[in-house]
Amino acid sequence: MKPAGSFFWRKLDGPGHDSCRLFRLPNGWRLAGAAVFHEDNRPCHFQYEVVVDTAWRTRRAAVSGYLGNKEIRLKIAAAAAVRNRQWRVGDDIQKNLTGCVDVDLGFTPSTNLIVLNRLALAVGEYADAPAAYLKFPGMRFVTLPQTYHRIGATEYAYEAPTVGYAGTLQVLPSGAVAHYPKLFELYQSRPVT
């Protein structure tokens, strides 16, 4: 399957890189990538995959790899036929994530592409988008309150107050973040077709 887009970022807050490809599926999209970086004197390597439906609502995500000497294998999936959008992590329903539509993998900027495409904000529009957030380095899912305010054709004022972050994201037409102040910068991309 030929990718619809590919992206490569470098970390700005320490050594590391992230690369992913976006694939169009008959019933949605698939984002698949890998992040390699060094954090708190520990080498980290994560492969990840996020699958969304045609409306860019996350259906499932998986992360595997290692954090220092610790092996990581996580799976999260939207629970079927649940009105208030619940999530299963492994086999267990996580009630603390109820209502979240998106999954945000805290070690990569790639998942912002999903929420920005789902929201499809016009310039001047604002949206709350709480996400099932994979908190790093604890590697557990928590609810992340976050807001996006589209302030220009390629700019979003982004805020995630519980993690102490606010900044203006520079974004490509595909929804991929080109510049995530203090955290990531896009090094190379191939446009979504």
Side-chain angles (χ1 to χ4, degrees), residues 37-53:
F37 55 100
H38 197 261
E39 188 80 28
D40 294 331
N41 286 328
R42 294 179 290 186
C44 303
H45 179 273
F46 300 122
Q47 291 181 297
Y48 59 88
E49 176 183 71
V50 182
V51 176
V52 301
D53 65 17

Side-chain angles (χ1 to χ4, degrees), residues 65-128:
Y66 57 87
L67 169 60
N69 292 327
K70 182 179 179 182
E71 183 177 359
I72 302 295
R73 290 201 183 282
L74 293 169
K75 290 184 179 182
I76 184 170
V82 177
R83 260 181 73 164
N84 286 333
R85 190 71 173 188
Q86 290 187 323
W87 294 91
R88 288 187 187 280
V89 175
D91 293 328
D92 301 322
I93 292 283
Q94 302 293 304
K95 293 199 181 284
N96 65 311
L97 304 176
T98 298
C100 296
V101 177
D102 308 297
V103 169
D104 184 327
L105 302 178
F107 57 84
T108 174
S110 66
T111 49
N112 291 89
L113 178 148
I114 293 168
V115 68
L116 289 172
N117 277 286
R118 183 181 66 76
L119 294 173
L121 299 175
V123 174
E125 288 185 326
Y126 167 96
D128 289 317

Side-chain angles (χ1 to χ4, degrees), residues 21-39:
R21 297 187 303 167
L22 181 67
F23 298 91
R24 185 184 303 269
L25 304 175
N27 58 352
W29 298 88
R30 177 177 163 258
L31 188 66
V36 179
F37 55 100
H38 197 261
E39 188 80 28

